[in-house]
Amino acid sequence: MEGYGRMENVAKGDAGIGVVYSPMIWSDVEAITRQFDETWGHYAPFGNDKKLSMLLSYHFVLHYIEPATRGEIAHKNGQFMGVVLSRVVGQPVMFGNVAQEMAKIDERLNSTPAGHRALADLELGFEIERRMERQTDINDKAPAEVELFLVSSASRGHGVGGQLWSRTMDYFERSHAPAFYLHTDSDCDVSFYDRHGMKRIAEREEQRHPDDGRDPQMAPSKMYIYAGVPGRVKQTVA
């Protein structure tokens, strides 16, 4: 998948006129990171430190890209509108250079006390997610995962979220994945997953785990795992 060329699909229907869906290429990482930071990058302990916020967002995005076997971007007139990163067990990852890029970002984060503290908290959060996976045995039940589902405010009214979602379900079905899952938290609109036929199979409330050591100013109040069957979930998309 690495490269600069694109194979594009133009959306059909009035709401989606002019929206183009393309396989992700490496140069999309910058736009994904900017949107991620705009959506979720307001880390309370660091006030207005935009540079640190962007580095943390870049780490998050690379974390989601590293295992991904598919990425699809929505854009219109050159403007980023959304992305889904997903993976299916046994399929090749999109990019082989993510670990090296993440090491560079982590070195920059660890160069300051605030960055070091933030990175340690992020890594603890990812470990908690892995614990939740082990507790539910979800990786034994679902060979597919949505790593990142992100749409911009500019995408509203264009059906971008629904299109990206439906196309990802098509990918899972083509890959013969009987089930999939995703991680999310109370900072996201989890009602989207409820409306689209997914089941909440795990819930973790931060205040009930004070001994885990997470920074309460960074940690979401609740963390969830949702799971679903691709064909059934796709039927709920208008």
Side-chain angles (χ1 to χ4, degrees), residues 64 67-68 70 83-88 133 142-150 164-165 168-169 171-172 179-184 192-193 198 226 233:
Y64 298 129
R70 180 179 183 271
V83 63
V84 174
L85 300 172
S86 54
R87 70 172 180 91
V88 173
E133 291 173 13
E145 180 180 4
V146 173
E147 296 286 341
L148 176 64
F149 179 37
L150 172 64
L164 286 170
W165 192 245
T168 302
M169 296 306 106
Y171 168 60
F172 288 158
F180 75 101
Y181 72 98
L182 57 85
H183 287 274
T184 188
F192 180 92
Y193 306 119
M198 299 188 71
Y226 275 79
V233 170

PDB file of all heavy atoms in Angstrom, residues 64 67-68 70 83-88 133 142-150 164-165 168-169 171-172 179-184 192-193 198 226 233:
ATOM      1  N   TYR A  64      -2.587   3.137  15.908  1.00  0.00           N
ATOM      2  CA  TYR A  64      -3.710   2.525  15.197  1.00  0.00           C
ATOM      3  C   TYR A  64      -3.321   2.053  13.790  1.00  0.00           C
ATOM      4  O   TYR A  64      -3.875   1.070  13.287  1.00  0.00           O
ATOM      5  CB  TYR A  64      -4.875   3.510  15.112  1.00  0.00           C
ATOM      6  CG  TYR A  64      -5.418   3.918  16.460  1.00  0.00           C
ATOM      7  CD1 TYR A  64      -5.595   5.264  16.784  1.00  0.00           C
ATOM      8  CD2 TYR A  64      -5.742   2.970  17.424  1.00  0.00           C
ATOM      9  CE1 TYR A  64      -6.084   5.636  18.028  1.00  0.00           C
ATOM     10  CE2 TYR A  64      -6.226   3.337  18.668  1.00  0.00           C
ATOM     11  CZ  TYR A  64      -6.389   4.678  18.973  1.00  0.00           C
ATOM     12  OH  TYR A  64      -6.869   5.042  20.210  1.00  0.00           O
ATOM     13  N   PRO A  67      -1.029  -1.974  13.208  1.00  0.00           N
ATOM     14  CA  PRO A  67      -1.564  -3.305  12.904  1.00  0.00           C
ATOM     15  C   PRO A  67      -2.572  -3.318  11.751  1.00  0.00           C
ATOM     16  O   PRO A  67      -3.063  -4.389  11.373  1.00  0.00           O
ATOM     17  CB  PRO A  67      -2.260  -3.696  14.206  1.00  0.00           C
ATOM     18  CG  PRO A  67      -2.779  -2.381  14.725  1.00  0.00           C
ATOM     19  CD  PRO A  67      -1.743  -1.348  14.336  1.00  0.00           C
ATOM     20  N   ALA A  68      -2.900  -2.145  11.193  1.00  0.00           N
ATOM     21  CA  ALA A  68      -3.997  -2.055  10.223  1.00  0.00           C
ATOM     22  C   ALA A  68      -3.645  -2.767   8.916  1.00  0.00           C
ATOM     23  O   ALA A  68      -2.535  -2.631   8.387  1.00  0.00           O
ATOM     24  CB  ALA A  68      -4.350  -0.606   9.946  1.00  0.00           C
ATOM     25  N   ARG A  70      -6.017  -2.455   6.393  1.00  0.00           N
ATOM     26  CA  ARG A  70      -6.769  -1.656   5.419  1.00  0.00           C
ATOM     27  C   ARG A  70      -7.020  -0.272   5.996  1.00  0.00           C
ATOM     28  O   ARG A  70      -7.314  -0.124   7.187  1.00  0.00           O
ATOM     29  CB  ARG A  70      -8.102  -2.305   5.096  1.00  0.00           C
ATOM     30  CG  ARG A  70      -8.963  -1.522   4.083  1.00  0.00           C
ATOM     31  CD  ARG A  70     -10.275  -2.272   3.817  1.00  0.00           C
ATOM     32  NE  ARG A  70     -11.087  -1.619   2.812  1.00  0.00           N
ATOM     33  CZ  ARG A  70     -11.997  -0.675   3.066  1.00  0.00           C
ATOM     34  NH1 ARG A  70     -12.186  -0.269   4.321  1.00  0.00           N
ATOM     35  NH2 ARG A  70     -12.719  -0.144   2.094  1.00  0.00           N
ATOM     36  N   VAL A  83     -11.759   8.825   8.002  1.00  0.00           N
ATOM     37  CA  VAL A  83     -10.913   7.657   7.780  1.00  0.00           C
ATOM     38  C   VAL A  83     -11.418   6.498   8.625  1.00  0.00           C
ATOM     39  O   VAL A  83     -11.960   6.693   9.714  1.00  0.00           O
ATOM     40  CB  VAL A  83      -9.438   7.957   8.142  1.00  0.00           C
ATOM     41  CG1 VAL A  83      -9.283   8.292   9.616  1.00  0.00           C
ATOM     42  CG2 VAL A  83      -8.522   6.789   7.766  1.00  0.00           C
ATOM     43  N   VAL A  84     -11.264   5.294   8.104  1.00  0.00           N
ATOM     44  CA  VAL A  84     -11.406   4.077   8.899  1.00  0.00           C
ATOM     45  C   VAL A  84     -10.142   3.253   8.705  1.00  0.00           C
ATOM     46  O   VAL A  84      -9.729   2.995   7.574  1.00  0.00           O
ATOM     47  CB  VAL A  84     -12.633   3.241   8.500  1.00  0.00           C
ATOM     48  CG1 VAL A  84     -12.625   1.917   9.258  1.00  0.00           C
ATOM     49  CG2 VAL A  84     -13.919   3.974   8.800  1.00  0.00           C
ATOM     50  N   LEU A  85      -9.534   2.865   9.813  1.00  0.00           N
ATOM     51  CA  LEU A  85      -8.425   1.920   9.809  1.00  0.00           C
ATOM     52  C   LEU A  85      -8.934   0.624  10.417  1.00  0.00           C
ATOM     53  O   LEU A  85      -9.557   0.632  11.485  1.00  0.00           O
ATOM     54  CB  LEU A  85      -7.256   2.452  10.642  1.00  0.00           C
ATOM     55  CG  LEU A  85      -6.647   3.777  10.201  1.00  0.00           C
ATOM     56  CD1 LEU A  85      -5.630   4.254  11.235  1.00  0.00           C
ATOM     57  CD2 LEU A  85      -6.001   3.648   8.838  1.00  0.00           C
ATOM     58  N   SER A  86      -8.675  -0.479   9.748  1.00  0.00           N
ATOM     59  CA  SER A  86      -9.176  -1.758  10.233  1.00  0.00           C
ATOM     60  C   SER A  86      -8.127  -2.838  10.008  1.00  0.00           C
ATOM     61  O   SER A  86      -7.170  -2.656   9.250  1.00  0.00           O
ATOM     62  CB  SER A  86     -10.490  -2.123   9.528  1.00  0.00           C
ATOM     63  OG  SER A  86     -10.326  -2.094   8.119  1.00  0.00           O
ATOM     64  N   ARG A  87      -8.327  -3.969  10.652  1.00  0.00           N
ATOM     65  CA  ARG A  87      -7.398  -5.087  10.460  1.00  0.00           C
ATOM     66  C   ARG A  87      -8.163  -6.400  10.459  1.00  0.00           C
ATOM     67  O   ARG A  87      -9.214  -6.538  11.110  1.00  0.00           O
ATOM     68  CB  ARG A  87      -6.336  -5.122  11.562  1.00  0.00           C
ATOM     69  CG  ARG A  87      -6.860  -5.519  12.928  1.00  0.00           C
ATOM     70  CD  ARG A  87      -5.743  -5.728  13.939  1.00  0.00           C
ATOM     71  NE  ARG A  87      -6.320  -6.106  15.235  1.00  0.00           N
ATOM     72  CZ  ARG A  87      -6.530  -7.357  15.614  1.00  0.00           C
ATOM     73  NH1 ARG A  87      -6.201  -8.367  14.803  1.00  0.00           N
ATOM     74  NH2 ARG A  87      -7.070  -7.617  16.795  1.00  0.00           N
ATOM     75  N   VAL A  88      -7.640  -7.344   9.726  1.00  0.00           N
ATOM     76  CA  VAL A  88      -8.138  -8.711   9.724  1.00  0.00           C
ATOM     77  C   VAL A  88      -6.952  -9.622   9.972  1.00  0.00           C
ATOM     78  O   VAL A  88      -5.910  -9.498   9.293  1.00  0.00           O
ATOM     79  CB  VAL A  88      -8.827  -9.074   8.397  1.00  0.00           C
ATOM     80  CG1 VAL A  88      -9.186 -10.560   8.356  1.00  0.00           C
ATOM     81  CG2 VAL A  88     -10.082  -8.232   8.189  1.00  0.00           C
ATOM     82  N   GLU A 133      -9.339  -7.037  26.555  1.00  0.00           N
ATOM     83  CA  GLU A 133      -9.432  -8.049  25.503  1.00  0.00           C
ATOM     84  C   GLU A 133      -9.244  -9.449  26.079  1.00  0.00           C
ATOM     85  O   GLU A 133      -9.977 -10.383  25.729  1.00  0.00           O
ATOM     86  CB  GLU A 133      -8.385  -7.780  24.427  1.00  0.00           C
ATOM     87  CG  GLU A 133      -8.653  -6.535  23.611  1.00  0.00           C
ATOM     88  CD  GLU A 133      -7.505  -6.207  22.666  1.00  0.00           C
ATOM     89  OE1 GLU A 133      -6.616  -7.079  22.472  1.00  0.00           O
ATOM     90  OE2 GLU A 133      -7.472  -5.079  22.127  1.00  0.00           O
ATOM     91  N   ALA A 142     -13.348 -12.917  17.573  1.00  0.00           N
ATOM     92  CA  ALA A 142     -13.467 -11.947  16.480  1.00  0.00           C
ATOM     93  C   ALA A 142     -12.098 -11.725  15.837  1.00  0.00           C
ATOM     94  O   ALA A 142     -11.215 -11.133  16.466  1.00  0.00           O
ATOM     95  CB  ALA A 142     -14.024 -10.627  16.996  1.00  0.00           C
ATOM     96  N   PRO A 143     -11.907 -12.168  14.591  1.00  0.00           N
ATOM     97  CA  PRO A 143     -10.609 -12.008  13.926  1.00  0.00           C
ATOM     98  C   PRO A 143     -10.434 -10.664  13.226  1.00  0.00           C
ATOM     99  O   PRO A 143      -9.491 -10.484  12.455  1.00  0.00           O
ATOM    100  CB  PRO A 143     -10.615 -13.144  12.904  1.00  0.00           C
ATOM    101  CG  PRO A 143     -12.061 -13.276  12.524  1.00  0.00           C
ATOM    102  CD  PRO A 143     -12.844 -12.978  13.782  1.00  0.00           C
ATOM    103  N   ALA A 144     -11.334  -9.728  13.466  1.00  0.00           N
ATOM    104  CA  ALA A 144     -11.262  -8.423  12.802  1.00  0.00           C
ATOM    105  C   ALA A 144     -11.508  -7.322  13.827  1.00  0.00           C
ATOM    106  O   ALA A 144     -12.210  -7.523  14.829  1.00  0.00           O
ATOM    107  CB  ALA A 144     -12.288  -8.325  11.677  1.00  0.00           C
ATOM    108  N   GLU A 145     -10.921  -6.146  13.563  1.00  0.00           N
ATOM    109  CA  GLU A 145     -11.056  -5.020  14.489  1.00  0.00           C
ATOM    110  C   GLU A 145     -11.069  -3.706  13.713  1.00  0.00           C
ATOM    111  O   GLU A 145     -10.344  -3.551  12.732  1.00  0.00           O
ATOM    112  CB  GLU A 145      -9.886  -4.996  15.482  1.00  0.00           C
ATOM    113  CG  GLU A 145      -9.946  -3.857  16.484  1.00  0.00           C
ATOM    114  CD  GLU A 145      -8.779  -3.849  17.454  1.00  0.00           C
ATOM    115  OE1 GLU A 145      -7.868  -4.686  17.304  1.00  0.00           O
ATOM    116  OE2 GLU A 145      -8.785  -2.988  18.361  1.00  0.00           O
ATOM    117  N   VAL A 146     -11.904  -2.783  14.156  1.00  0.00           N
ATOM    118  CA  VAL A 146     -11.833  -1.402  13.683  1.00  0.00           C
ATOM    119  C   VAL A 146     -10.845  -0.692  14.602  1.00  0.00           C
ATOM    120  O   VAL A 146     -11.107  -0.526  15.799  1.00  0.00           O
ATOM    121  CB  VAL A 146     -13.199  -0.706  13.718  1.00  0.00           C
ATOM    122  CG1 VAL A 146     -13.057   0.777  13.380  1.00  0.00           C
ATOM    123  CG2 VAL A 146     -14.159  -1.378  12.732  1.00  0.00           C
ATOM    124  N   GLU A 147      -9.714  -0.284  14.056  1.00  0.00           N
ATOM    125  CA  GLU A 147      -8.670   0.353  14.851  1.00  0.00           C
ATOM    126  C   GLU A 147      -8.984   1.832  15.110  1.00  0.00           C
ATOM    127  O   GLU A 147      -8.761   2.337  16.210  1.00  0.00           O
ATOM    128  CB  GLU A 147      -7.318   0.232  14.146  1.00  0.00           C
ATOM    129  CG  GLU A 147      -6.807  -1.188  13.993  1.00  0.00           C
ATOM    130  CD  GLU A 147      -6.302  -1.768  15.305  1.00  0.00           C
ATOM    131  OE1 GLU A 147      -6.015  -0.988  16.238  1.00  0.00           O
ATOM    132  OE2 GLU A 147      -6.184  -3.006  15.389  1.00  0.00           O
ATOM    133  N   LEU A 148      -9.450   2.520  14.083  1.00  0.00           N
ATOM    134  CA  LEU A 148      -9.766   3.946  14.217  1.00  0.00           C
ATOM    135  C   LEU A 148     -10.894   4.305  13.268  1.00  0.00           C
ATOM    136  O   LEU A 148     -10.858   3.941  12.083  1.00  0.00           O
ATOM    137  CB  LEU A 148      -8.536   4.795  13.884  1.00  0.00           C
ATOM    138  CG  LEU A 148      -8.736   6.328  13.889  1.00  0.00           C
ATOM    139  CD1 LEU A 148      -9.091   6.830  15.287  1.00  0.00           C
ATOM    140  CD2 LEU A 148      -7.493   7.041  13.367  1.00  0.00           C
ATOM    141  N   PHE A 149     -11.894   5.000  13.783  1.00  0.00           N
ATOM    142  CA  PHE A 149     -13.016   5.503  12.985  1.00  0.00           C
ATOM    143  C   PHE A 149     -13.136   6.978  13.329  1.00  0.00           C
ATOM    144  O   PHE A 149     -13.493   7.342  14.440  1.00  0.00           O
ATOM    145  CB  PHE A 149     -14.288   4.738  13.339  1.00  0.00           C
ATOM    146  CG  PHE A 149     -15.520   5.186  12.601  1.00  0.00           C
ATOM    147  CD1 PHE A 149     -15.461   5.593  11.278  1.00  0.00           C
ATOM    148  CD2 PHE A 149     -16.758   5.175  13.226  1.00  0.00           C
ATOM    149  CE1 PHE A 149     -16.604   5.991  10.600  1.00  0.00           C
ATOM    150  CE2 PHE A 149     -17.910   5.565  12.568  1.00  0.00           C
ATOM    151  CZ  PHE A 149     -17.831   5.976  11.248  1.00  0.00           C
ATOM    152  N   LEU A 150     -12.806   7.825  12.366  1.00  0.00           N
ATOM    153  CA  LEU A 150     -12.699   9.261  12.624  1.00  0.00           C
ATOM    154  C   LEU A 150     -13.287  10.038  11.465  1.00  0.00           C
ATOM    155  O   LEU A 150     -12.904   9.826  10.313  1.00  0.00           O
ATOM    156  CB  LEU A 150     -11.217   9.633  12.792  1.00  0.00           C
ATOM    157  CG  LEU A 150     -10.836  11.108  12.879  1.00  0.00           C
ATOM    158  CD1 LEU A 150     -11.428  11.750  14.134  1.00  0.00           C
ATOM    159  CD2 LEU A 150      -9.312  11.256  12.869  1.00  0.00           C
ATOM    160  N   LEU A 164     -18.224   5.130   5.102  1.00  0.00           N
ATOM    161  CA  LEU A 164     -16.992   4.498   5.571  1.00  0.00           C
ATOM    162  C   LEU A 164     -17.305   3.244   6.381  1.00  0.00           C
ATOM    163  O   LEU A 164     -16.625   2.220   6.256  1.00  0.00           O
ATOM    164  CB  LEU A 164     -16.190   5.484   6.417  1.00  0.00           C
ATOM    165  CG  LEU A 164     -15.464   6.600   5.666  1.00  0.00           C
ATOM    166  CD1 LEU A 164     -14.917   7.638   6.656  1.00  0.00           C
ATOM    167  CD2 LEU A 164     -14.323   6.050   4.819  1.00  0.00           C
ATOM    168  N   TRP A 165     -18.321   3.336   7.200  1.00  0.00           N
ATOM    169  CA  TRP A 165     -18.730   2.204   8.036  1.00  0.00           C
ATOM    170  C   TRP A 165     -19.180   1.033   7.169  1.00  0.00           C
ATOM    171  O   TRP A 165     -18.734  -0.101   7.357  1.00  0.00           O
ATOM    172  CB  TRP A 165     -19.845   2.672   8.957  1.00  0.00           C
ATOM    173  CG  TRP A 165     -20.195   1.735  10.075  1.00  0.00           C
ATOM    174  CD1 TRP A 165     -21.372   1.084  10.252  1.00  0.00           C
ATOM    175  CD2 TRP A 165     -19.373   1.381  11.188  1.00  0.00           C
ATOM    176  NE1 TRP A 165     -21.341   0.342  11.397  1.00  0.00           N
ATOM    177  CE2 TRP A 165     -20.123   0.506  11.993  1.00  0.00           C
ATOM    178  CE3 TRP A 165     -18.074   1.722  11.565  1.00  0.00           C
ATOM    179  CZ2 TRP A 165     -19.613  -0.051  13.168  1.00  0.00           C
ATOM    180  CZ3 TRP A 165     -17.562   1.174  12.742  1.00  0.00           C
ATOM    181  CH2 TRP A 165     -18.335   0.303  13.530  1.00  0.00           C
ATOM    182  N   THR A 168     -16.359  -0.643   5.307  1.00  0.00           N
ATOM    183  CA  THR A 168     -15.539  -1.467   6.186  1.00  0.00           C
ATOM    184  C   THR A 168     -16.216  -2.801   6.459  1.00  0.00           C
ATOM    185  O   THR A 168     -15.558  -3.850   6.501  1.00  0.00           O
ATOM    186  CB  THR A 168     -15.261  -0.729   7.508  1.00  0.00           C
ATOM    187  OG1 THR A 168     -14.621   0.519   7.213  1.00  0.00           O
ATOM    188  CG2 THR A 168     -14.367  -1.542   8.417  1.00  0.00           C
ATOM    189  N   MET A 169     -17.534  -2.787   6.636  1.00  0.00           N
ATOM    190  CA  MET A 169     -18.259  -4.046   6.813  1.00  0.00           C
ATOM    191  C   MET A 169     -18.124  -4.918   5.563  1.00  0.00           C
ATOM    192  O   MET A 169     -17.994  -6.151   5.658  1.00  0.00           O
ATOM    193  CB  MET A 169     -19.738  -3.782   7.118  1.00  0.00           C
ATOM    194  CG  MET A 169     -20.001  -3.043   8.423  1.00  0.00           C
ATOM    195  SD  MET A 169     -19.275  -3.794   9.899  1.00  0.00           S
ATOM    196  CE  MET A 169     -17.904  -2.648  10.232  1.00  0.00           C
ATOM    197  N   TYR A 171     -15.557  -5.020   3.620  1.00  0.00           N
ATOM    198  CA  TYR A 171     -14.200  -5.578   3.697  1.00  0.00           C
ATOM    199  C   TYR A 171     -14.162  -6.774   4.639  1.00  0.00           C
ATOM    200  O   TYR A 171     -13.580  -7.827   4.309  1.00  0.00           O
ATOM    201  CB  TYR A 171     -13.238  -4.489   4.174  1.00  0.00           C
ATOM    202  CG  TYR A 171     -11.880  -4.978   4.575  1.00  0.00           C
ATOM    203  CD1 TYR A 171     -11.053  -5.654   3.671  1.00  0.00           C
ATOM    204  CD2 TYR A 171     -11.399  -4.753   5.870  1.00  0.00           C
ATOM    205  CE1 TYR A 171      -9.788  -6.096   4.057  1.00  0.00           C
ATOM    206  CE2 TYR A 171     -10.139  -5.180   6.251  1.00  0.00           C
ATOM    207  CZ  TYR A 171      -9.338  -5.855   5.343  1.00  0.00           C
ATOM    208  OH  TYR A 171      -8.091  -6.290   5.720  1.00  0.00           O
ATOM    209  N   PHE A 172     -14.780  -6.649   5.797  1.00  0.00           N
ATOM    210  CA  PHE A 172     -14.799  -7.767   6.737  1.00  0.00           C
ATOM    211  C   PHE A 172     -15.524  -8.978   6.141  1.00  0.00           C
ATOM    212  O   PHE A 172     -15.084 -10.120   6.311  1.00  0.00           O
ATOM    213  CB  PHE A 172     -15.472  -7.349   8.048  1.00  0.00           C
ATOM    214  CG  PHE A 172     -14.655  -6.401   8.894  1.00  0.00           C
ATOM    215  CD1 PHE A 172     -15.271  -5.580   9.841  1.00  0.00           C
ATOM    216  CD2 PHE A 172     -13.285  -6.313   8.757  1.00  0.00           C
ATOM    217  CE1 PHE A 172     -14.528  -4.717  10.635  1.00  0.00           C
ATOM    218  CE2 PHE A 172     -12.531  -5.443   9.544  1.00  0.00           C
ATOM    219  CZ  PHE A 172     -13.158  -4.644  10.481  1.00  0.00           C
ATOM    220  N   ALA A 179     -16.936 -12.025  12.871  1.00  0.00           N
ATOM    221  CA  ALA A 179     -17.226 -11.021  13.891  1.00  0.00           C
ATOM    222  C   ALA A 179     -16.063 -10.041  13.948  1.00  0.00           C
ATOM    223  O   ALA A 179     -14.948 -10.329  13.503  1.00  0.00           O
ATOM    224  CB  ALA A 179     -17.437 -11.676  15.250  1.00  0.00           C
ATOM    225  N   PHE A 180     -16.333  -8.863  14.508  1.00  0.00           N
ATOM    226  CA  PHE A 180     -15.296  -7.854  14.692  1.00  0.00           C
ATOM    227  C   PHE A 180     -15.565  -7.111  15.988  1.00  0.00           C
ATOM    228  O   PHE A 180     -16.624  -7.231  16.587  1.00  0.00           O
ATOM    229  CB  PHE A 180     -15.259  -6.876  13.508  1.00  0.00           C
ATOM    230  CG  PHE A 180     -16.388  -5.881  13.492  1.00  0.00           C
ATOM    231  CD1 PHE A 180     -16.207  -4.573  13.935  1.00  0.00           C
ATOM    232  CD2 PHE A 180     -17.658  -6.249  13.063  1.00  0.00           C
ATOM    233  CE1 PHE A 180     -17.241  -3.651  13.929  1.00  0.00           C
ATOM    234  CE2 PHE A 180     -18.706  -5.349  13.052  1.00  0.00           C
ATOM    235  CZ  PHE A 180     -18.498  -4.039  13.489  1.00  0.00           C
ATOM    236  N   TYR A 181     -14.590  -6.330  16.410  1.00  0.00           N
ATOM    237  CA  TYR A 181     -14.765  -5.542  17.628  1.00  0.00           C
ATOM    238  C   TYR A 181     -14.018  -4.224  17.497  1.00  0.00           C
ATOM    239  O   TYR A 181     -13.258  -4.002  16.543  1.00  0.00           O
ATOM    240  CB  TYR A 181     -14.292  -6.319  18.862  1.00  0.00           C
ATOM    241  CG  TYR A 181     -12.802  -6.474  18.997  1.00  0.00           C
ATOM    242  CD1 TYR A 181     -12.061  -5.626  19.811  1.00  0.00           C
ATOM    243  CD2 TYR A 181     -12.116  -7.497  18.331  1.00  0.00           C
ATOM    244  CE1 TYR A 181     -10.681  -5.772  19.956  1.00  0.00           C
ATOM    245  CE2 TYR A 181     -10.741  -7.659  18.466  1.00  0.00           C
ATOM    246  CZ  TYR A 181     -10.035  -6.787  19.279  1.00  0.00           C
ATOM    247  OH  TYR A 181      -8.680  -6.931  19.405  1.00  0.00           O
ATOM    248  N   LEU A 182     -14.225  -3.372  18.488  1.00  0.00           N
ATOM    249  CA  LEU A 182     -13.506  -2.100  18.555  1.00  0.00           C
ATOM    250  C   LEU A 182     -13.460  -1.616  19.989  1.00  0.00           C
ATOM    251  O   LEU A 182     -14.287  -2.002  20.822  1.00  0.00           O
ATOM    252  CB  LEU A 182     -14.153  -1.048  17.651  1.00  0.00           C
ATOM    253  CG  LEU A 182     -15.634  -0.699  17.875  1.00  0.00           C
ATOM    254  CD1 LEU A 182     -15.817   0.357  18.968  1.00  0.00           C
ATOM    255  CD2 LEU A 182     -16.260  -0.205  16.580  1.00  0.00           C
ATOM    256  N   HIS A 183     -12.458  -0.783  20.265  1.00  0.00           N
ATOM    257  CA  HIS A 183     -12.363  -0.092  21.543  1.00  0.00           C
ATOM    258  C   HIS A 183     -12.904   1.321  21.372  1.00  0.00           C
ATOM    259  O   HIS A 183     -12.689   1.965  20.339  1.00  0.00           O
ATOM    260  CB  HIS A 183     -10.908  -0.002  22.002  1.00  0.00           C
ATOM    261  CG  HIS A 183     -10.339  -1.295  22.481  1.00  0.00           C
ATOM    262  ND1 HIS A 183     -10.476  -1.746  23.775  1.00  0.00           N
ATOM    263  CD2 HIS A 183      -9.615  -2.246  21.824  1.00  0.00           C
ATOM    264  CE1 HIS A 183      -9.869  -2.900  23.900  1.00  0.00           C
ATOM    265  NE2 HIS A 183      -9.339  -3.234  22.736  1.00  0.00           N
ATOM    266  N   THR A 184     -13.576   1.811  22.388  1.00  0.00           N
ATOM    267  CA  THR A 184     -14.018   3.200  22.395  1.00  0.00           C
ATOM    268  C   THR A 184     -14.142   3.644  23.843  1.00  0.00           C
ATOM    269  O   THR A 184     -13.851   2.871  24.773  1.00  0.00           O
ATOM    270  CB  THR A 184     -15.340   3.371  21.620  1.00  0.00           C
ATOM    271  OG1 THR A 184     -15.646   4.761  21.495  1.00  0.00           O
ATOM    272  CG2 THR A 184     -16.503   2.652  22.311  1.00  0.00           C
ATOM    273  N   PHE A 192     -23.466   5.792  18.296  1.00  0.00           N
ATOM    274  CA  PHE A 192     -23.352   5.339  16.903  1.00  0.00           C
ATOM    275  C   PHE A 192     -23.288   3.822  16.852  1.00  0.00           C
ATOM    276  O   PHE A 192     -23.948   3.180  16.025  1.00  0.00           O
ATOM    277  CB  PHE A 192     -22.099   5.945  16.257  1.00  0.00           C
ATOM    278  CG  PHE A 192     -21.893   5.527  14.820  1.00  0.00           C
ATOM    279  CD1 PHE A 192     -22.403   6.278  13.771  1.00  0.00           C
ATOM    280  CD2 PHE A 192     -21.183   4.378  14.518  1.00  0.00           C
ATOM    281  CE1 PHE A 192     -22.219   5.889  12.454  1.00  0.00           C
ATOM    282  CE2 PHE A 192     -20.986   3.985  13.202  1.00  0.00           C
ATOM    283  CZ  PHE A 192     -21.503   4.744  12.169  1.00  0.00           C
ATOM    284  N   TYR A 193     -22.511   3.222  17.744  1.00  0.00           N
ATOM    285  CA  TYR A 193     -22.350   1.768  17.747  1.00  0.00           C
ATOM    286  C   TYR A 193     -23.617   1.076  18.260  1.00  0.00           C
ATOM    287  O   TYR A 193     -23.981   0.001  17.780  1.00  0.00           O
ATOM    288  CB  TYR A 193     -21.131   1.384  18.574  1.00  0.00           C
ATOM    289  CG  TYR A 193     -19.892   2.118  18.114  1.00  0.00           C
ATOM    290  CD1 TYR A 193     -19.204   2.981  18.967  1.00  0.00           C
ATOM    291  CD2 TYR A 193     -19.430   1.988  16.804  1.00  0.00           C
ATOM    292  CE1 TYR A 193     -18.087   3.678  18.533  1.00  0.00           C
ATOM    293  CE2 TYR A 193     -18.322   2.682  16.363  1.00  0.00           C
ATOM    294  CZ  TYR A 193     -17.654   3.522  17.227  1.00  0.00           C
ATOM    295  OH  TYR A 193     -16.562   4.226  16.778  1.00  0.00           O
ATOM    296  N   MET A 198     -24.289  -3.057  17.288  1.00  0.00           N
ATOM    297  CA  MET A 198     -23.186  -3.651  18.025  1.00  0.00           C
ATOM    298  C   MET A 198     -23.565  -3.821  19.496  1.00  0.00           C
ATOM    299  O   MET A 198     -24.452  -3.137  20.007  1.00  0.00           O
ATOM    300  CB  MET A 198     -21.925  -2.789  17.891  1.00  0.00           C
ATOM    301  CG  MET A 198     -21.436  -2.648  16.464  1.00  0.00           C
ATOM    302  SD  MET A 198     -19.812  -1.829  16.358  1.00  0.00           S
ATOM    303  CE  MET A 198     -18.741  -3.116  17.027  1.00  0.00           C
ATOM    304  N   TYR A 226     -16.879  -2.873  22.077  1.00  0.00           N
ATOM    305  CA  TYR A 226     -18.091  -3.222  21.347  1.00  0.00           C
ATOM    306  C   TYR A 226     -17.756  -4.315  20.338  1.00  0.00           C
ATOM    307  O   TYR A 226     -16.645  -4.334  19.782  1.00  0.00           O
ATOM    308  CB  TYR A 226     -18.636  -2.010  20.590  1.00  0.00           C
ATOM    309  CG  TYR A 226     -19.522  -1.097  21.407  1.00  0.00           C
ATOM    310  CD1 TYR A 226     -18.984  -0.187  22.293  1.00  0.00           C
ATOM    311  CD2 TYR A 226     -20.909  -1.155  21.279  1.00  0.00           C
ATOM    312  CE1 TYR A 226     -19.792   0.663  23.033  1.00  0.00           C
ATOM    313  CE2 TYR A 226     -21.732  -0.314  22.007  1.00  0.00           C
ATOM    314  CZ  TYR A 226     -21.172   0.591  22.890  1.00  0.00           C
ATOM    315  OH  TYR A 226     -21.981   1.419  23.624  1.00  0.00           O
ATOM    316  N   VAL A 233     -24.493  -5.723  11.093  1.00  0.00           N
ATOM    317  CA  VAL A 233     -24.219  -4.302  11.330  1.00  0.00           C
ATOM    318  C   VAL A 233     -24.450  -3.497  10.041  1.00  0.00           C
ATOM    319  O   VAL A 233     -25.012  -2.401  10.082  1.00  0.00           O
ATOM    320  CB  VAL A 233     -22.780  -4.117  11.841  1.00  0.00           C
ATOM    321  CG1 VAL A 233     -22.386  -2.647  11.852  1.00  0.00           C
ATOM    322  CG2 VAL A 233     -22.645  -4.708  13.242  1.00  0.00           C
TER     323      VAL A 233
END
